[in-house]
Amino acid sequence: MRESGYLDAVRSSYDHVAAHYATLFNDELADEPMLRSVLALFAELVIAPGNVFAEDGSGLVSAGPGRVADVGCGPGHLAAFLRGRGLDVFGVDLSPGMIAQASATYPELRFEVGSMTDLDLPAESLSGLVAFYSTIHFPTPELPAVYGEFHRVLKPGAPLLLAFQAGDEPKHFTHAWDHDVNLTIHRRRPETVTNLLAEAGFRTMLTSVYEPPSRPGRPHAYVIAHRLP
């Protein structure tokens, strides 16, 4: 898939803020029980998938334990958390600056520069994939291709975890994290995401909307789905 031009602005912006961003977010999970719970549930589904049925109801489909990708991994703190939950996890990010931060902070983990629009992975090679606030810079018409790439690299039955800001209108930022940036966040309703996932070959298992106490009026959404055969 050819990379869209607007992703150049995303890459450049995150390269510019990478060092400061890492200092702000590397410890965020310590104060976010909801995030920890969602990530822990995802890890449980990877390790012990449970009752995941084929689309026709013919029987259980289990991806089994294996490699997991944190796509749009940023400074690597989520990958480190998932590693602590027993997953064989690695990180991918569009920003070389973010990958440098992640590699320096968590040298025991593998991180690589890459795009979720064209992952350098064989088909059906992953037992799980996390995209935590990393699909938010894609306009909605671009999501089917992104979700299609997630479907390609996941094994049948493997879980997918998405996190994003819930809402209707995009918001453009020219300044964030004490730096000048050029970023648009596309807020979406959970049903928009689950419908697109269904079209891409996923079945939604969980949808949750959460309004962090520190950010009233700014709901966040979490979706866990599994890849159908």
Side-chain angles (χ1 to χ4, degrees):
M1 185 189 308
R2 188 172 63 85
E3 190 172 287
S4 300
Y6 67 87
L7 291 180
D8 289 337
V10 174
R11 180 190 296 106
S12 176
S13 294
Y14 280 108
D15 278 346
H16 194 47
V17 304
H20 185 54
Y21 187 101
T23 64
L24 293 175
F25 287 95
N26 267 334
D27 295 326
E28 77 165 326
L29 293 179
D31 299 320
E32 291 286 357
M34 175 64 81
L35 301 192
R36 295 197 307 272
S37 297
V38 171
L39 290 164
L41 173 58
F42 169 80
E44 290 285 343
L45 291 170
V46 173
I47 294 170
N51 293 329
V52 178
F53 283 86
E55 178 68 8
D56 61 2
S58 60
L60 291 173
V61 177
S62 173
R67 299 176 72 217
V68 172
D70 178 7
V71 179
C73 64
H77 58 302
L78 300 183
F81 179 89
L82 293 172
R83 175 64 175 272
R85 293 301 182 274
L87 300 189
D88 178 12
V89 61
F90 67 98
V92 179
D93 201 278
L94 187 66
S95 162
M98 285 293 188
I99 291 298
Q101 292 293 323
S103 298
T105 307
Y106 307 104
E108 71 280 8
L109 296 177
R110 181 175 139 238
F111 297 98
E112 59 190 48
V113 176
S115 173
M116 68 180 72
T117 63
D118 188 15
L119 294 166
D120 186 19
L121 294 167
E124 299 187 4
S125 61
L126 295 180
S127 291
L129 189 150
V130 174
F132 227 66
Y133 299 104
S134 56
T135 59
I136 60 176
H137 301 300
F138 287 90
T140 298
E142 301 278 347
L143 287 182
V146 174
Y147 294 164
E149 182 68 352
F150 292 170
H151 186 276
R152 182 187 71 81
V153 300
L154 284 166
K155 298 176 184 179
L160 167 69
L161 169 59
L162 302 176
F164 52 95
Q165 290 90 339
D168 295 299
E169 297 298 327
K171 185 172 182 179
H172 185 72
F173 293 86
T174 58
H175 193 80
W177 307 299
D178 294 336
H179 289 80
D180 293 332
V181 298
N182 180 15
L183 293 171
T184 299
I185 291 177
H186 296 273
R187 294 175 289 189
R188 284 180 262 270
R189 292 184 178 271
E191 57 267 30
T192 298
V193 171
T194 57
N195 288 339
L196 290 173
L197 285 173
E199 293 172 6
F202 290 90
R203 174 178 286 168
T204 297
M205 294 186 283
L206 177 145
T207 302
S208 179
V209 177
Y210 168 63
E211 189 170 301
S214 61
R215 295 184 288 274
R218 296 169 60 184
H220 293 229
Y222 308 101
V223 173
I224 297 178
H226 71 87
R227 193 259 208 204
L228 294 171

